[in-house]
Amino acid sequence: MSQDNGAHVENGATTDASLASRAKQPKKNGPKWWLISLIAVIVAVAVVIGVTLAYAKKDDAGTSADGSATASTVTIGLKLAPTNLDIRNTAGSALDQVLIGNVYEGIVARDSKNQVAPAIASSWEESKDGLTYTFHLNKNMVFSNGDTLDAEDVVWSINELIAKQYHDADALESVSKVEAKDASTVVITLKTPNSNLLWTLTGRAGLVFDKDAKYDLKTEAVGSGPYTVAKFVENDSITLKANAKYWGKNKAKTPTIVVKYLADDNAAVNALKSGDVQVLAPITENLAEPFTSDPSKYVVKAGDGTDKYVLGFNNASGSKLADKRIRQAIRYAINHDELIASRGGADKALGGPIPSLDPGYEDLTGLYPYDQAKAKSLMAEAGYSEDKPLQLTLTYANIYGTELGDQLRSQLKPIGIDLKVNVVEFSTWLQDVYTNHDFDLSLVDHNESHDFYTWTDPTYYFGYDNKDVQKLYAEGIAATTDEERDAKFAEAAKLISEDAPADWLFNYRITTATAKGVKGFPFSLNQTVLPLYNVTYTK
């Protein structure tokens, strides 16, 4: 798996789903009517006044009274390119980002606040015991090839995922059966309650495919969303065309969207400056200044997301960091405000394992405020000082650059830690840290939402094992109300933060830059949920 299958950072990315797939086998567990009319009017006027269409810009779909032109094509610059389009088998949020909600649709969807919203199902009910979910589907739905979409396709899609263990099948382990009550009703029955089920179904686990369609999933896509894939160039671009057969309310406002993948930050910045792209998501905060300082031409905004920059500690017995005092000292010694300021100031402090858009979040930044004196005292108790330092190594992938490592070395030196920073190839990090657990400290941007479960798995690379946390998480999953679930998760997260098995450096916020006339592009969560139907560009 390449970098496209990963979490989101300015210089590259890695996510838990990608880490797992890289390091080991996956776990079992037509234009709108007004547009056509407008073009016809323009043609008629051109004929009348003797102006040929050759002079009209080829990307103009219409011209308003003030002379501004609405583009028929919008080009969006993203960073992480998918290697193929096979969303059933290929890990990585790059596929979710461009395909879910645009080309493929799920039985339910996710909104910009990370909440569950209607999609193929217009409504649903959950039984009081949390074991039965009844979904009522929209009427008159079709796939982009014209095939009818009904309950039979929904049931087939989910059952196929489970039977063939496609990507994210493990998230539906609690499912007992999926059946069609009639053409517009689907019933999912669980073996045990799962408070995360609906949210899980907003992702790959809930995607609905045409059971009768025959196509190459690696290079083509047949979905029911507002766009179709017109062209796919591996590691380069995806061209989306408005789906003329789209059945729903989210009809595409722009006939063509080109998604251009720009891995190099400087090339991306130059593409926005030159007008080759109208959107960059993300843009490094420190590279955004030329656009921020020119508001007449550009809009720059940071949106909320679920990325967590985790400074993970090796908690295994025998590790240098098995001593809780040392872990606590490191947390007190880190000046998070300084780290965030050095990156441009868009990120938010994060004191625990749950980001603000996930269930169970509460502000835990007060547990370990910056306190160098307290950090020195704890290190002294453990037998270390600046004159007698503890030797530790921070190992992380070169996709994150060197600046964070340099800052952490500087911040930890005064409390008696001699930090060696070891920046390695991503493949080396996967082998040494993620797979073999051979490290003292590590740094990864864990971007996946609802990934709190990693702190309940003692075999995960953190090596964190807390039975109370595991019990609370299990109770939260089994909860039959969101309130009960959130309370259990919050209690568990606080225990984790108090234990200091890691430091959560910050919640990385995605900074997006657009040309001034772009409307409808989502700023929040746009690295995982990127609905494009509402995007327009007026020059």
Side-chain angles (χ1 to χ4, degrees):
M1 184 182 70
S2 62
Q3 285 182 15
D4 69 297
N5 301 322
H8 302 283
V9 283
E10 298 87 346
N11 298 308
T14 60
T15 66
D16 286 320
S18 70
L19 300 181
S21 66
R22 287 289 293 268
K24 58 185 179 183
Q25 291 298 312
K27 295 181 291 183
K28 282 197 172 185
N29 328 272
K32 301 177 76 171
W33 68 267
W34 59 264
L35 188 58
I36 296 171
S37 300
L38 190 55
I39 292 173
V41 169
I42 292 172
V43 171
V45 171
V47 171
V48 170
I49 65 174
V51 179
T52 68
L53 289 176
Y55 291 103
K57 289 187 177 180
K58 64 180 178 180
D59 64 344
D60 289 347
T63 303
S64 63
D66 64 1
S68 59
T70 303
S72 64
T73 299
V74 176
T75 303
I76 297 167
L78 302 181
K79 181 174 289 291
L80 300 172
T83 54
N84 66 64
L85 300 181
D86 187 358
I87 199 165
R88 282 187 153 183
N89 294 297
T90 305
S93 54
L95 275 177
D96 304 55
Q97 180 185 27
V98 73
L99 294 183
I100 296 180
N102 293 315
V103 178
Y104 293 115
E105 295 180 299
I107 188 170
V108 287
R110 201 184 320 169
D111 65 19
S112 62
K113 298 184 184 299
N114 212 25
Q115 300 298 307
V116 179
I120 284 173
S122 59
S123 64
W124 54 88
E125 297 103 35
E126 177 186 353
S127 62
K128 288 185 178 180
D129 62 7
L131 295 177
T132 305
Y133 289 75
T134 303
F135 297 88
H136 305 284
L137 310 187
N138 288 286
K139 309 291 185 183
N140 304 315
M141 295 184 293
V142 294
F143 291 99
S144 60
N145 60 3
D147 288 358
T148 298
L149 191 172
D150 59 20
E152 193 176 344
D153 295 289
V154 176
V155 171
W156 176 82
S157 297
I158 299 176
N159 282 331
E160 277 282 288
L161 177 99
I162 296 171
K164 297 186 177 178
Q165 287 294 291
Y166 291 135
H167 196 279
D168 281 357
D170 55 312
L172 297 182
E173 283 181 334
S174 63
V175 171
S176 171
K177 59 182 176 179
V178 185
E179 53 192 346
K181 187 175 179 181
D182 54 47
S184 59
T185 311
V186 172
V187 179
I188 297 180
T189 305
L190 306 183
K191 292 174 273 190
T192 56
N194 179 1
S195 61
N196 272 340
L197 177 69
L198 284 172
W199 190 89
T200 298
L201 292 173
T202 68
R204 299 193 191 196
L207 291 182
V208 178
F209 299 88
D210 182 354
K211 66 181 180 60
D212 299 319
K214 306 296 181 186
Y215 59 100
D216 184 350
L217 270 77
K218 290 187 176 182
T219 59
E220 301 172 291
V222 176
S224 59
Y227 281 101
T228 62
V229 175
K231 185 179 182 182
F232 168 63
V233 181
E234 184 178 341
N235 292 317
D236 179 78
S237 65
I238 295 175
T239 301
L240 303 175
K241 293 284 187 182
N243 177 9
K245 295 184 174 67
Y246 177 61
W247 60 272
K249 64 180 181 180
N250 297 334
K251 292 185 183 296
K253 291 185 177 179
T254 297
T256 303
I257 298 281
V258 178
V259 177
K260 181 73 177 173
Y261 293 100
L262 302 165
D264 180 80
D265 288 338
N266 290 322
V269 167
N270 288 335
L272 183 57
K273 285 181 178 177
S274 68
D276 288 345
V277 303
Q278 288 77 55
V279 180
L280 280 186
I283 183 173
T284 304
E285 185 75 8
N286 288 333
L287 291 179
E289 196 282 328
F291 307 112
T292 305
S293 62
D294 193 358
S296 65
K297 292 183 180 179
Y298 303 99
V299 174
V300 180
K301 183 177 178 180
D304 293 327
T306 58
D307 292 62
K308 304 158 290 291
Y309 265 62
V310 182
L311 182 67
F313 306 153
N314 190 336
N315 294 270
S317 59
S319 163
K320 294 176 183 178
L321 289 160
D323 188 330
K324 183 177 180 179
R325 295 170 299 184
I326 296 172
R327 302 197 306 270
Q328 290 179 311
I330 292 173
R331 294 202 65 188
Y332 281 121
I334 293 174
N335 187 333
H336 299 88
D337 290 342
E338 187 178 272
L339 293 180
I340 291 170
S342 73
R343 293 167 49 82
D347 303 320
K348 288 184 177 178
L350 182 64
I354 300 180
S356 62
L357 292 178
D358 277 358
Y361 169 77
E362 66 174 315
D363 185 352
L364 299 176
T365 54
L367 289 179
Y368 288 92
Y370 176 55
D371 191 333
Q372 201 172 67
K374 190 171 286 189
K376 287 180 178 179
S377 176
L378 285 164
M379 288 300 292
E381 284 182 32
Y384 301 99
S385 66
E386 195 164 10
D387 294 331
K388 185 189 173 185
L390 170 64
Q391 309 284 330
L392 292 175
T393 300
L394 166 61
T395 306
Y396 66 93
N398 56 11
I399 55 178
Y400 299 102
T402 60
E403 186 176 344
L404 275 173
D406 293 340
Q407 288 175 298
L408 290 169
R409 181 199 296 118
S410 176
Q411 291 188 2
L412 297 183
K413 188 176 189 301
I415 71 165
I417 292 178
D418 182 4
L419 187 68
K420 177 186 176 184
V421 178
N422 186 24
V423 180
V424 299
E425 293 291 327
F426 185 51
S427 57
T428 301
W429 182 92
L430 280 166
Q431 187 63 43
D432 294 349
V433 178
Y434 187 80
T435 303
N436 296 334
H437 305 178
D438 182 14
F439 73 105
D440 295 329
L441 298 92
S442 186
L443 170 65
V444 178
D445 172 16
H446 288 276
N447 88 312
E448 291 188 337
S449 180
H450 286 57
D451 63 356
F452 184 45
Y453 65 88
T454 59
W455 295 100
T456 70
D457 180 3
T459 68
Y460 198 63
Y461 77 95
F462 304 134
Y464 179 67
D465 189 357
N466 185 315
K467 298 298 187 290
D468 291 333
V469 166
Q470 294 158 20
K471 180 174 181 290
L472 285 165
Y473 180 76
E475 291 171 351
I477 289 295
T480 55
T481 68
D482 290 351
E483 292 76 16
E484 183 186 356
R485 175 201 64 194
D486 293 357
K488 294 291 185 181
F489 286 2
E491 188 178 349
K494 189 173 183 181
L495 284 179
I496 294 168
S497 186
E498 288 171 343
D499 272 354
D503 186 85
W504 295 269
L505 298 179
F506 44 80
N507 176 195
Y508 167 47
R509 300 181 76 229
I510 305 295
T511 298
T512 298
T514 76
K516 182 73 172 180
V518 173
K519 302 294 183 186
F521 186 86
F523 288 94
S524 292
L525 284 172
N526 63 32
Q527 298 301 287
T528 48
V529 180
L530 188 63
L532 297 172
Y533 69 91
N534 211 27
V535 174
T536 60
Y537 175 48
T538 303
K539 297 181 180 180

